[in-house]
Amino acid sequence: MSARLKLGAQGLAVLLVAGLLALLIWKVTHGNGGGVAAKVDKGKTAAAPNFTLSRLDRPGHLQLDSLRGKAVVLNFWASWCYPCNKEAPALERAWRGGDGRVVVLGVDVNDLSGDARKFMREHGVTYPIVHDGHNVTSGKYGLTGLPETFFVDPGGRVVAHVAGQVTASQLRSGIDKARQA
Amino acid sequence: MKLLAVLAAALLLAAPAAASEQHPTLLELENQIMCPVCAGETLAQSDSPAAAQVKRYIQRRIAAGDTRSQIKRELVAQYGTRILAAPPRHGFDLLAWVLPLVLILGGAAGMGLLAWRWTRGRDEPRPPESPERPLDPELEARVDEELWRLDG
């Protein structure tokens, strides 16, 4: 093999390794907020990753950042998820009991929109629901399953997180924490 | 005659494909659609509630008379292309089909080139060896003397 060809192959190999390393560093540093749930569970706060998704309760879209100034109960759910069925009444009560400064926002993930609407009808859900069929939010929030609930303060920071079925008392304390922050 | 045989074979293969497109079965689609919440599992491989939901949806669509392409399109609209077991053959996803082929062909071409260069290097005539240098007369005399002593 000529020295020039050998040098070229070595240069290419070094470039490939450098490229893969850069990709790894980028993935770690820009890692789509995978640590939001983990961070909050460690007692820290994290900026709530923004999203714009189509609404299921009415036509149009909803952007999370448009709710700044209010405490947001961000509930990730799906119609096929059994605990989601169980927690829906508590979420509806929290929404109806709010004084206008608290918004319950459901994010329907990995679900069929038709089945989600049926779920909403069956459980009398009146709080806003957005549909994330393409699963763009779960990675950003670091979901490990469904349901999961995040409490976002009026400044857009996640201050509390509940993995699994959320209870009425957890909702109360999460909302209080978000409003006090 | 050969052309007729090829046409007949093509027709024989095309008929089941067309039937499967018009009247798909759940069994067939289960292997072409991924479970939306399971890592790397098709519907056929998963017993998760999310997979069961998609299976029920497919059954409903089949009963309603949808074709295989229609059902896949509806599922892609709901979940994105990640729901398909094989990426679509258009747009950016086409890369998933083309890239492995390019890599295989490129690798084969590279190996061929290297093999050609190596074999060509072996066949090249070697440079002639340098002729032996005559020994220094003084050194030669010493060697002869030493040998004579050893023999003696």
Side-chain angles (χ1 to χ4, degrees), chain A residues 7-73:
Chain A
L7 199 69
Q10 282 173 343
L12 203 67
V14 168
L15 270 178
L16 191 71
V17 171
L20 287 173
L21 197 68
L23 200 67
L24 178 73
I25 292 168
W26 182 84
K27 179 76 183 159
V28 170
T29 52
H30 294 76
N32 65 19
V36 169
K39 230 182 211 177
V40 175
D41 290 345
K42 283 180 191 160
K44 296 174 185 169
T45 65
N50 188 33
F51 55 77
T52 305
L53 294 165
S54 57
R55 293 184 72 151
L56 279 180
D57 54 321
R58 66 170 72 164
H61 291 76
L62 194 147
Q63 187 181 17
L64 178 66
D65 278 356
S66 70
L67 301 174
R68 284 279 170 91
K70 293 176 180 178
V72 179
V73 179

Side-chain angles (χ1 to χ4, degrees), chain A residues 79-80 110-113 115 133, chain B residues 37 53 60 77-80 82:
Chain A
S79 63
W80 46 263
N110 285 319
D111 203 2
L112 291 160
S113 50
D115 289 4
Chain B
V37 295
Q53 181 197 38
R60 285 202 302 269
Q78 291 277 339
Y79 296 99
R82 70 192 170 102

Side-chain angles (χ1 to χ4, degrees), chain A residues 86-162:
Chain A
K86 303 294 282 179
E87 70 177 8
L91 287 160
E92 181 63 25
R93 276 196 299 275
W95 163 244
R96 290 184 188 218
D99 53 4
R101 287 187 298 163
V102 178
V103 175
V104 176
L105 174 61
V107 183
D108 177 43
V109 288
N110 285 319
D111 203 2
L112 291 160
S113 50
D115 289 4
R117 284 197 182 93
K118 191 176 163 210
F119 175 103
M120 290 159 66
R121 279 195 304 273
E122 283 173 359
H123 291 88
V125 171
T126 59
Y127 52 85
I129 300 276
V130 289
H131 181 59
D132 182 17
H134 292 224
N135 200 22
V136 294
T137 52
S138 59
K140 290 178 179 174
Y141 280 85
L143 302 189
T144 51
L146 288 177
E148 289 201 27
T149 305
F150 295 82
F151 297 88
V152 185
D153 73 12
R157 294 198 69 80
V158 179
V159 294
H161 166 237
V162 176

Side-chain angles (χ1 to χ4, degrees), chain B residues 9-91:
Chain B
L11 277 173
L12 275 174
L13 289 172
S20 151
E21 166 62 21
Q22 290 304 314
H23 306 287
T25 63
L26 176 62
L27 202 67
E28 165 203 345
L29 280 166
E30 271 182 344
N31 291 302
Q32 298 173 13
I33 302 293
M34 301 301 289
C35 162
V37 295
C38 329
E41 284 183 6
T42 61
L43 291 181
Q45 293 164 328
S46 173
D47 293 323
S48 73
Q53 181 197 38
V54 180
K55 287 178 196 176
R56 283 195 301 273
Y57 176 78
I58 292 173
Q59 276 173 326
R60 285 202 302 269
R61 298 323 310 161
I62 289 172
D66 283 5
T67 64
R68 187 181 56 198
S69 305
Q70 281 173 327
I71 295 172
K72 282 188 177 179
R73 263 202 305 276
E74 287 157 12
L75 286 170
V76 167
Q78 291 277 339
Y79 296 99
T81 51
R82 70 192 170 102
I83 200 72
L84 300 174
R89 288 173 186 153
H90 54 79

